Amino acid sequence: MKVLLINGSPHPSGTTAAALAEVAGAIQKNGIQTETLQLGTKPVRGCIACKKCRQLGKCVFEDDPVNEWIVKAQEADGLVIGSPVYYASPNGALLAALDRMFYAAGPTLAFKPGAAIVCARRAGTTASLDALNKYFLISQMPVVASWYWNMAFGNNAQEVTQDAEGLAIMRGVGENMAWVLKSIEAGREKGVQQPRRDKVVRTNFIR
Ligand SMILES: Cc1cc2nc3c(=O)[nH]c(=O)nc-3n(C[C@H](O)[C@H](O)[C@H](O)COP(=O)(O)O)c2cc1C
């Protein structure tokens, strides 16, 4: 089994990286592999709503990490997305990437557990978690929690090491992700079927 972690910060060794490392460590302690990908600092395109992804199963833009994320997430059993808080939201570049990733491939990630974690200097964490969890919730991905909301505080990687509670919450995310994955595997071995989706009627609020 494998969990893919995505660091939505431009800093590969910043606060979000430190928090994700704590999550990954707890997952690995449970005998599950992890891989962490970086958003980086290169430009990320926003979605242009061309809807070509509906035929292609991937985004038309190949010059940023979105299509790699899609393939890696499809291969993984679970997904963790981490973001720094910018103006009480996740990093805008990360949201641009996730809009395209999930519009192209959200349905193919159904039933894989997902966890969002956020890092901030001081505020905006719950709104940011809410935004990230929505990608999982519309994609039928069970959302993995901890024993407090999945947040850690610090303005840099050194500061976050002083947030003992935040790092413990991150280990809780990792432990719970491992438990959910093992429970899904045990259910599959016992013949528990994935739920079938009813035929969807899209009304777009037109009466
Ligand atoms: C553009 C920008 C906006 C920010 N907005 C907030 C904010 O709304 N609330 C907050 O607590 N911290 C805010 N911060 C601070 C970052 O969330 C904080 O430094 C975070 O730990 C950075 O994570 P990283 O090291 O993984 O990049 C902001 C930082 C930047 C660059």
Side-chain angles (χ1 to χ4, degrees), residues 9 11 14-16 84-88 119-123 154-155:
S9 165
H11 304 130
T15 317
T16 314
V85 171
Y86 288 174
Y87 291 95
C119 293
R121 187 188 70 79
R122 194 166 185 86
N155 212 20

Side-chain angles (χ1 to χ4, degrees), residues 72-92:
K72 297 252 182 187
Q74 287 168 338
E75 288 167 359
D77 301 286
L79 180 62
V80 180
I81 299 174
S83 181
V85 171
Y86 288 174
Y87 291 95
S89 286
N91 177 5

Side-chain angles (χ1 to χ4, degrees), residues 13-89:
S13 309
T15 317
T16 314
L20 284 172
E22 214 68 17
V23 178
I27 294 170
Q28 290 161 14
K29 256 180 50 192
N30 282 277
I32 297 171
Q33 273 184 293
T34 66
E35 180 178 3
T36 303
L37 301 177
Q38 307 292 331
L39 176 68
T41 54
K42 297 208 178 101
V44 176
R45 300 284 301 246
C47 180
I48 59 164
C50 68
K51 303 194 180 178
K52 297 262 170 47
C53 58
R54 294 290 156 87
Q55 287 101 54
L56 300 172
K58 63 176 189 169
C59 186
V60 288
F61 298 124
E62 297 280 4
D63 50 0
D64 61 31
V66 167
N67 286 334
E68 183 200 357
W69 289 6
I70 289 173
V71 173
K72 297 252 182 187
Q74 287 168 338
E75 288 167 359
D77 301 286
L79 180 62
V80 180
I81 299 174
S83 181
V85 171
Y86 288 174
Y87 291 95
S89 286

Side-chain angles (χ1 to χ4, degrees), residues 93-163:
L94 175 66
L95 292 178
L98 293 177
D99 284 354
R100 288 166 45 222
M101 176 182 179
F102 278 82
Y103 210 74
T108 68
L109 306 179
F111 307 113
K112 294 179 194 283
I117 67 113
V118 295
C119 293
R121 187 188 70 79
R122 194 166 185 86
T125 43
T126 55
S128 302
L129 271 181
D130 186 37
L132 293 177
N133 280 330
K134 281 175 175 141
Y135 293 99
F136 305 136
L137 291 170
I138 200 171
S139 308
Q140 298 191 87
M141 297 173 70
V143 174
V144 177
S146 190
W147 40 267
Y148 193 87
W149 296 294
N150 303 349
M151 60 181 72
F153 288 93
N155 212 20
N156 53 50
Q158 199 278 325
E159 278 188 12
V160 80
T161 61
Q162 295 169 48
D163 182 9

Side-chain angles (χ1 to χ4, degrees), residues 201-207:
V201 180
R202 288 169 70 92
T203 59
N204 297 359
F205 297 106
I206 297 167
R207 287 164 211 276

